[in-house]
Structure formats: structure tokens, C-alpha cells
Amino acid sequence: MKKILLLSDTHSYIDNQILKFVKQADEVWHVGDIGSLEVIDTLKKLKPLRAVYGNIDNALIRTEFPLDNRFTIEKTTVWMTHIGGYPNRYDVRIREEISKNPPQLFISGHSHILKVIFDKKLKLLHMNPGAAGKHGFHNVRTMLRFEINEDKITNLEVIELEQRK
């Protein structure tokens, strides 16, 4: 079993509220718009990090992380990408591939809107953790936390960090 902390759209911002949850996880997954190497270094000092780059990320971040990260953890197949869309509205770049070879868990960021949706057609779970940073239009900073045990995703929690003013 693995305890996962899922975050996105930090836009160079990391604080003790985020780090408190990082310390409780087995792995941290970041779905792009990281913003700075300082965020990466801070997370990596505490836990193993899997990530993808987002549209605001610079060349240094893009050399460290891919656009798409497909992997298997426990017995669960995962696909992470920053701009991926949602069930029935997947981004044109991935639409064909996700239909042909759907993962069990598809994760994207970018929208700053937290969503968890089961795609009945492709039989996959889609997650978008919202935005953990302070840049953007979102009113509440959010992340997701869950456990993966073999091919089961359980104990999914929404983490609300704070209301933005």
C-alpha cells in the first residue's frame, strides 16, 4: 500500500501547510505548473516525487520531468499530464491514446478546479487536485490524498488548505 499526496499548480509557492501533508505521504505526485526548482528541491528532500511539467514551467523543469508520466504503482496503471481535459472532453492531444490504452487512474491539472470523476465509458478514475499555490483565480487552495493498494484506490480525501482573499 502507498499513501499518495497529489498536488498541482503550485506556481513557485510552497508553505508549511503543504509540507505537513507531504510528510504524511509515501510519495508526492505533482501534476505540473510547478513554477520553480525550489518547490521540486523542497519536496524531494522529504519524499519521492513523481511529476510532469506544465505550461508555465521553464526549460530546467522540462528537462527534469516529462510532459506525460505513465507508470504502474502497486498494480494500478497511472497516466499524469498537466493539460488532459476531463471525461468526454479529453484534450485533443491525448484523446486517441487514452481511448486505445486507458489507465486505471488518469490525472491532470491546469484548470485550478478540483474534480474527481469516474469515466464510465473508459472505466477509469480521473482526478484533478485543483491548485495548491496562490497564483490564479481559485478561491480555495486544494490537494488530494489517497491510498493505492494493489489495483484499488481508497481513502480519497480532499484537502482544503485555506480560503484565498
Side-chain angles (χ1 to χ4, degrees):
M1 183 200 54
K2 294 279 187 185
K3 294 178 183 177
I4 308 300
L5 180 67
L6 177 63
L7 65 154
S8 185
D9 295 276
T10 49
H11 291 263
S12 301
Y13 184 80
I14 194 154
D15 64 2
N16 287 329
Q17 283 186 292
I18 295 171
L19 296 177
K20 175 178 86 171
F21 291 99
V22 168
K23 292 172 186 171
Q24 297 169 11
D26 295 321
E27 289 188 14
V28 176
W29 299 354
H30 197 304
V31 200
D33 281 2
I34 299 163
S36 70
L37 293 175
E38 290 79 18
V39 169
I40 293 167
D41 293 341
T42 301
L43 294 172
K44 279 183 167 182
K45 283 178 188 168
L46 296 171
K47 297 292 173 169
L49 175 65
R50 298 180 196 247
V52 294
Y53 70 78
N55 55 293
I56 68 121
D57 290 321
N58 66 25
L60 289 173
I61 293 170
R62 289 171 188 236
T63 58
E64 183 155 356
F65 298 108
L67 174 63
D68 296 298
N69 191 351
R70 287 192 81 140
F71 58 93
T72 300
I73 181 168
E74 297 278 307
K75 294 180 180 175
T76 300
T77 57
V78 180
W79 183 356
M80 292 175 25
T81 194
H82 184 62
I83 301 174
Y86 296 99
N88 300 315
R89 295 183 58 197
Y90 292 111
D91 187 79
V92 67
R93 184 183 69 80
I94 64 148
R95 197 172 296 149
E96 185 177 340
E97 179 63 23
I98 202 166
S99 294
K100 285 183 191 172
N101 188 17
Q104 290 162 275
L105 177 58
F106 178 69
I107 302 170
S108 63
H110 187 62
S111 70
H112 292 221
I113 300 168
L114 187 146
K115 287 188 183 185
V116 177
I117 304 167
F118 185 73
D119 183 330
K120 293 175 188 170
K121 181 179 171 189
L122 298 181
K123 296 179 178 51
L124 64 83
L125 183 62
H126 172 269
M127 292 184 188
N128 183 324
K134 291 194 170 190
H135 177 77
F137 64 88
H138 55 285
N139 293 322
V140 180
R141 296 171 51 221
T142 58
M143 303 184 297
L144 290 171
R145 167 164 77 172
F146 56 94
E147 295 175 359
I148 296 181
N149 190 351
E150 296 198 3
D151 64 347
K152 305 271 187 289
I153 298 163
T154 60
N155 297 322
L156 176 64
E157 294 176 74
V158 171
I159 299 168
E160 292 187 349
L161 297 170
E162 68 180 346
Q163 289 276 62
R164 293 183 57 223
K165 296 174 173 88

